[in-house]
Each structure stands twice: as C-alpha cells, then as structure tokens.
Amino acid sequence: MTRRRWALALVAGAAVVLAACSSSPSTPKKVTTTTRAVTSTTTSSPTTTTTSAATTTSTSTAATSTACTHITASPGQGQGAAGTITGVITVTNTGTSSCTANGYPTVALLSGSGAPLTVTMVTGLSVTVSTAANAPPSSVTVAPSSSAQFAYQYSDVPAGSQTTCPTSESASVTMPGSATASSTFQLAIGPCNNGTLRVSPVYAGS
C-alpha cells in the first residue's frame, strides 16, 4: 500500500469513529419531580358541656298552730277622757291544748234583747293604753287555763246626725285566725259613729 492510500485509510477510519461518537445516544436529561404535600387542616371548635346538678329544695314546714277557739272573755274596768273611752278585755283559753293568736280580734255587740248592734271594727288604737296594747301584732301562745288580753277604744260623742249612740248589754269575742266566737259576756259600752270600735292586737296577759 502506498503512502498516499495509507493516509486516506487513516482519515476514513477517523471519520467512522467520529460518526459513531456523534450517533451515540445523548445523555438523558435529568428530570426533577417536585411533589407538593397538601396538608389538610381540620379546625375543631372547642365544645363546652355544662352539667347542671339537680337541686332538691327541702322545705320544712312547722306544724300549724291551733287557733284559739275555746275561750271565755271578761271585761276590765273602762276609763275615758275627752270623749274617748278605753278598756281591756281578758280572754282565757278553756281548751285542753295551747292555742296561738296573732293579730286583731273581732268584737260583736248585742242589745239587751240579744239583737246584734252595728259595729265598725278598726284595727289599731289612736291613743296610748299600754306598751303591749300599742305594739304591732305578734304571735301569742295561750296555754290551757291561761289568758291573753286586748284593748279597745271608742268615742261616746255622737257624730253627724246622731243624738244618742246605741249601748250594748253584752258582747262576744272572736280571736284572730278563728271562726268561733266566745260565749257572751256582759259589756255595756256605747260606741258612736256607726259603732266604731278600735281594738289592739292580742297580747300576753299580765
């Protein structure tokens, strides 16, 4: 082989090598995959549970006191000045058990024939009789055979068209809280102005 042919062969071989190099597969590109994490957030609202404890209210009720229904009454000596008459009536428990009075009594007045007279009851005195008589109502327990009292007040001066005022011969008393009147007792009083009679609360006997 001549030197010229050898050089040509060499050039041709180099071309083949270059072609082979250029035709070789290219290096694959690096692919980067980004994964985005999705975070799911659940908001939980705080729940408040209120538990109410059952409350039981126990009411203790004291035994109801017995009203004074078994009584007798008797008047004390009345006295008066400037047309105002006052007096005291004593009430005795004739029952077998204690009774309780709290408030103002009611007085019924009767004529000599036993007919009822007009009586206008007014609670509270307008003049001073005693500390107990002028005090507000309070609970008074009256034992068997024991006594309580109340005061009364009236005017004996005719009012309006009156010329005289009817006078009682007897009376009966009903204690506060009771519907039963006492037996009648002698009481001669003549309250004027439609039989207006003021009474004090029942108070403990002296």
Side-chain angles (χ1 to χ4, degrees), residues 79-164:
Q79 57 185 351
T84 300
I85 311 299
T86 61
V88 174
I89 293 177
T90 299
V91 180
T92 302
N93 179 10
T94 59
T96 58
S97 60
S98 296
C99 63
T100 301
N102 189 348
Y104 299 89
T106 301
V107 179
L109 299 179
L110 306 172
S111 67
S113 64
L117 300 178
T118 298
V119 178
T120 303
M121 298 297 304
V122 178
T123 57
L125 306 177
S126 63
V127 297
T128 300
V129 173
S130 67
T131 300
N134 290 94
S138 61
S139 182
V140 178
T141 300
V142 187
S145 301
S146 296
S147 299
Q149 293 178 324
F150 68 91
Y152 63 86
Q153 169 198 337
Y154 67 92
S155 171
D156 62 353
V157 177
S161 61
Q162 285 183 321
T163 55
T164 60

